[in-house]
Structures are given as structure tokens and as C-alpha cells.
Amino acid sequence: MDKLIIRGGAPLRGQVEVSGAKNAALPAMVASLLTEESIRLHRIPQLGDVRTIIGLLNHLGVSVEGRDREPISLRADRIDRFEAPYQLVKTMRASVLVLGPLLARFGRARVSLPGGCAIGTRPINLHLAALEKMGATVSLDAGYVEAKAPRLKGARITFDGQTVTGTENLMMAATLADGVTVLENAACEPEVTDLAALLNRMGARIEGAGTPTISIEGTSHLHGAEHEVIPDRVETGTFMVAAAITGGDVTINRCLPYHLEAVTEKLRETGVRVEETDCSIRVVGDGHVRGVNIRTHPYPGFATDMQAQMTALMSIAQGSSVITETVFENRFMHVNELLRMGADIKVVGTTAFVHGVPTLSGAPVMATDLRASASLVLAGLAAQGITTISRVYHLDRGYESIEQKLLGLGASIERVAE
């Protein structure tokens, strides 16, 4: 198991290129299950979660070429299994995305209830209720979801709450259903829109992706396609905060600034300078930021996946901040580790009250989930002294070569085996 050692206090300067989005890459790869023809994908990041989904797809019978280089090709012309077992699903919730495509194309699926980061309850009941409405027979047995349907039928589905994974699962399932499916209160995240773009290239008929109402006209057959996944907006936002928290000057290239309007607005409120082009963002800090209040919301609101990083920034801001988490009920586990570094934060329910301190101090800390690990890296970059972060396998699930990218910006960071 690896750990990161960071010697903080140096402003980051230079340019960095963002990788393809993990949360767009995973459903794009799973979409290969919907056709017997090849899907060719560009900008698939080298991440723990990507390796996990490749292992699952291989288990089902999907051939994957180019997994260690760009681009990768996936072909699901010899599917001989319809079960996603616990040992392959337990580490990553996105594995449940195979449920909809398997059921739609083959009429059956058996998928273990998923795992992932321990940031709160994320049930898949919304997925299952919707599939039942489309004519599937769904049951739970020994920790597995079993679903069967001769052919799914179009239906009007209204989600009780917005769910990105649920929207993607049902959107994929509906592409091969009989008739029209309408998803109401659908997730509007860019990753949903990106998946819809790929599916349409495969011959699907999807309208309204990126809005709360998505319409899918089912078809009997999808074909192969080539697609480039969008840049990772959370990685982009993390580097934006890295520039701000270190008082640096960083240009983030090959990104989509319009995906980060909520983050940009909050950073500008802190006093940080943010300059944008069509595909780059420059963030310039002077080492002094003002406290701001933040409330997470589904897209286009402030992303819950950026809350931990902004909490780290607010811990050294001038004044006080109130950070309210509305998406996941247990997403302040990074706070206890920030307290070890000298932060002044009190959590009451789903709200963190942050009183900025002049500086953080390096300390041994432990990552508890993916975005919490990113917040500890940011805190370590700003802290005086040495910060040692354990359990960085969480970080490797969602950030490609992050220490190399930070080294290129002048950070003092080293990965060592524990």
C-alpha cells in the first residue's frame, strides 16, 4: 500500500493538462454491452476504477484492446456470462451500470449490490423501480439483484431524486426497449450528456440529455462507434483549488470551463483571479483568500465532488465559512484529518462551520474516500512542514498520475510504499 509525502509551502506554477473524465469513461465503456460491434474510446484515463470496470467487462466476455494506451476498443460479441459478482463490484458503485445494458440486450442480469466510497447511503432502488416499470421482473437474493425481461418496454419514469447512475442506467436500457421511454427529474450532469452523445453515435435516439427530461425512442439494434470522453471537471476543479490554496499561478489545459461555472464563481468570491478560454482556465492566487459560504447541489449547482477540496481552501481563508452538504449525508470525513493539521472546523449534521487559520501544519493523515484524499493533498501542499497521506489507493481511483502532474507544477511530493 502506497502513501504520499508532501513538503508544503511552495506556490504551484505552470501548466497542466486534464485527463478524460472518470465518471464519463466508466458508463461509456459499459455501453459496449449494448452492441456486438466495436466501440472505440479516446481519453480513457489510467485509473483504479477503469481497471475495475475492465475486469468486470472481461468477466462478462467483452474483449478490450489497448487498455494501457490510447485509444481503447471494446467488443461485446461473445458475452457468455450475465452475472457481475461481488468480488468485482464491491469496490465501485458504478459497476451497477451493467444492469441496464445486460437486461436490455440479453433479457437477464444478476448484479451484486454495489460498494464504493463510504460517503453515505446510495441505494439503487430508483434503478430497480424504474426497470420494473419497464416490464422487468426484479428480485433480491443473497446480496444480488436478479432481473429478467423478454424485452423492456418504454415507460414514463419520474425519479424521486436526481441520480446520475440511475439516469445513465435507465438511458442505456431504454435504447433497446420497445417504444419510447421518458425520464423525468433526470440528472443533468455533463457525464450524462456525454453518454447520450456516444449512444446516439451508436444509433440510439435520445433527446433532452442535459435537461431534467430525457426522451429515448427504443430501437432493435445499436452499432459500433468512436467517441472521445469529456475532460474531467472534478480534476480541473481540484487543480484550480490547488493554485488558489498555494497562492500560485496555474493554467489548466484541455478542459471545458463551462462545466465549472459554480466552482469558478466561488473562487472569484474568495478573491482569486480566474481567466478562461474555450479550453483552458488560469487561476492566479496571492496567498490570501476570503471565506465564502458553499452549498452543494446537483449540476449545474456546486458539485458535491468539489466540497472537500473547497473545505481545505476555506480552512486557511480569512474569516469564516459555512459549507452545507445536501447530496450525501456522510461527506465530511476529511474534516477530522484537517483538524490534525490545525484546521478549525466544527461539523453539525450536514453543515461544516469553518474558521480560517493563518496556516496549516504538516501531519500524518489518512484518506477515507476519493475526494477526501484530494482535499488532504491540497492541504498538504499549503501546509508548513511534511504531510504524510496514507491509503492513497482512494486517490488512484479518480486521479490519473496526480503526483507527476503536481511535480510538473513545482510541488514537492513523493509516492513511497508503506
Side-chain angles (χ1 to χ4, degrees):
M1 194 177 296
D2 293 347
K3 60 184 178 181
L4 291 178
I5 299 175
I6 302 173
R7 293 168 179 82
L12 300 185
R13 301 188 185 281
Q15 300 190 33
V16 65
E17 183 174 298
V18 172
S19 299
K22 172 184 84 88
N23 290 336
L26 300 180
M29 295 169 70
V30 170
S32 65
L33 290 168
L34 291 166
T35 177
E36 71 278 2
E37 299 181 22
S38 291
I39 301 296
R40 187 175 172 88
L41 300 174
H42 297 261
R43 297 200 74 194
I44 299 295
Q46 298 296 312
L47 299 171
D49 279 6
V50 169
R51 289 188 288 273
T52 297
I53 211 74
I54 287 175
L56 175 55
L57 292 173
N58 282 159
H59 170 82
L60 295 172
V62 179
S63 63
V64 182
E65 297 180 359
R67 64 179 67 188
D68 296 322
R69 62 185 187 277
E70 277 276 280
I72 71 168
S73 295
L74 305 98
R75 190 177 182 93
D77 58 338
R78 297 182 180 179
I79 299 300
D80 52 10
R81 293 175 177 167
F82 307 94
E83 177 178 307
Y86 174 71
Q87 61 265 29
L88 292 176
V89 173
K90 63 182 179 180
T91 61
M92 189 179 68
R93 183 176 183 269
S95 303
V96 77
L97 284 169
V98 303
L99 177 61
L102 284 176
L103 184 60
R105 184 175 165 203
F106 301 102
R108 57 184 170 133
R110 188 171 190 264
V111 179
S112 173
L113 292 172
C117 285
I119 58 173
T121 303
R122 300 196 282 184
I124 64 168
N125 59 299
L126 298 179
H127 309 223
L128 305 185
L131 289 172
E132 287 181 324
K133 198 167 184 180
M134 295 176 71
T137 300
V138 180
S139 61
L140 297 177
D141 177 51
Y144 280 78
V145 175
E146 295 191 10
K148 295 181 180 179
R151 187 177 182 188
L152 294 174
K153 301 183 184 301
R156 180 173 290 272
I157 295 163
T158 301
F159 292 113
D160 290 341
Q162 286 192 347
T163 163
V164 174
T165 308
T167 299
E168 292 170 341
N169 220 341
L170 271 297
M171 191 164 65
M172 285 191 284
T175 60
L176 294 177
D178 185 13
V180 176
T181 299
V182 177
L183 306 180
E184 299 280 7
N185 197 27
C188 302
E189 273 72 3
E191 294 78 16
V192 173
T193 306
D194 195 55
L195 175 60
L198 167 60
L199 294 172
N200 283 338
R201 288 191 178 99
M202 295 168 64
R205 303 160 183 159
I206 302 173
E207 296 181 353
T211 76
T213 302
I214 302 176
S215 176
I216 309 103
E217 182 181 352
T219 183
S220 61
H221 175 79
L222 295 179
H223 52 72
E226 189 162 1
H227 180 71
E228 180 178 298
V229 302
I230 56 174
D232 196 309
R233 60 192 171 103
V234 181
E235 183 188 3
T236 303
T238 301
F239 279 112
M240 292 171 72
V241 176
I245 203 169
T246 63
D249 183 348
V250 175
T251 299
I252 303 118
N253 294 318
R254 211 172 177 185
C255 64
L256 293 175
Y258 67 89
H259 286 169
L260 291 115
E261 291 176 351
V263 173
T264 297
E265 179 182 346
K266 284 300 174 183
L267 283 177
R268 284 174 172 156
E269 282 185 35
T270 72
V272 171
R273 178 155 57 97
V274 182
E275 302 171 357
E276 302 174 5
T277 70
D278 288 342
C279 58
S280 71
I281 301 175
R282 181 186 180 193
V283 178
V284 183
D286 61 3
H288 302 284
V289 294
R290 297 187 295 270
V292 297
N293 296 333
I294 296 168
R295 187 178 185 88
T296 64
H297 284 290
Y299 188 86
F302 193 95
T304 180
D305 279 353
M306 283 300 303
Q307 178 261 107
Q309 297 91 312
M310 286 297 289
T311 301
L313 179 61
M314 291 301 94
S315 70
I316 61 166
Q318 297 172 348
S320 299
S321 308
V322 178
I323 301 175
T324 304
E325 174 60 55
T326 72
V327 180
F328 296 124
E329 73 277 10
N330 192 25
R331 203 160 201 178
F332 283 119
M333 290 188 291
H334 51 285
V335 167
N336 284 336
E337 304 305 301
L338 292 174
L339 293 177
R340 291 175 51 80
M341 301 178 69
D344 183 358
I345 307 172
K346 182 179 180 181
V347 177
V348 179
T350 57
T351 300
F353 299 90
V354 187
H355 301 280
V357 297
T359 186
L360 298 174
S361 300
V365 293
M366 183 174 64
T368 55
D369 61 71
L370 171 55
R371 305 310 173 186
S373 61
S375 76
L376 298 180
V377 170
L378 296 174
L381 292 171
Q384 296 299 314
I386 297 175
T387 298
T388 302
I389 306 174
S390 301
R391 297 176 67 182
V392 295
Y393 61 85
H394 287 294
L395 193 71
D396 296 335
R397 288 184 52 224
Y399 290 91
E400 182 179 39
S401 305
I402 189 168
E403 66 265 31
Q404 283 81 15
K405 291 181 179 182
L406 289 170
L407 281 168
L409 297 173
S412 176
I413 182 171
E414 179 184 8
R415 180 183 289 256
V416 299
E418 289 193 270

